[in-house]
Amino acid sequence: QYTFTIDYENQGTGGLFNLELQEILQVGWTFNSNLSTNGWNCRDTLCTFTIPSLAPSASGSLLFVVNVFNAVWIVILLL
């Protein structure tokens, strides 16, 4: 089981609306809705979380928890 903490922040000067965060379940992973932040919506391998509005300088964090059933890992780091 792995827990990912996703931090977000509006560093702009205007409000943001209907932000959609996306996570993709890797092979051998299943989404754990009991331990993740409420509000995730998973369909097949795509999981989304919508933040209705985020004021300037506002921030927050989400938990995304997966159960891992496969020992094969592929790690991709996007910068």
Side-chain angles (χ1 to χ4, degrees):
Q1 179 180 51
Y2 291 95
T3 300
F4 299 92
T5 301
I6 302 166
D7 297 320
Y8 58 91
E9 178 182 9
N10 180 356
Q11 296 180 344
T13 58
L16 301 175
F17 302 94
N18 296 318
L19 302 172
E20 183 177 88
L21 305 177
Q22 297 182 345
E23 291 293 332
I24 297 176
L25 294 170
Q26 303 298 316
V27 173
W29 291 9
T30 58
F31 176 67
N32 187 323
S33 61
N34 293 324
L35 298 177
S36 297
T37 302
N38 289 333
W40 284 100
N41 180 20
C42 295
R43 180 163 288 163
D44 296 322
T45 60
L46 178 64
C47 296
T48 60
F49 189 97
T50 300
I51 301 169
S53 63
L54 192 62
S57 301
S59 63
S61 61
L62 304 170
L63 293 180
F64 184 79
V65 182
V66 295
N67 299 317
V68 179
F69 296 102
N70 188 340
V72 176
W73 281 82
I74 299 174
V75 177
I76 300 174
L77 177 62
L78 299 175
L79 300 176

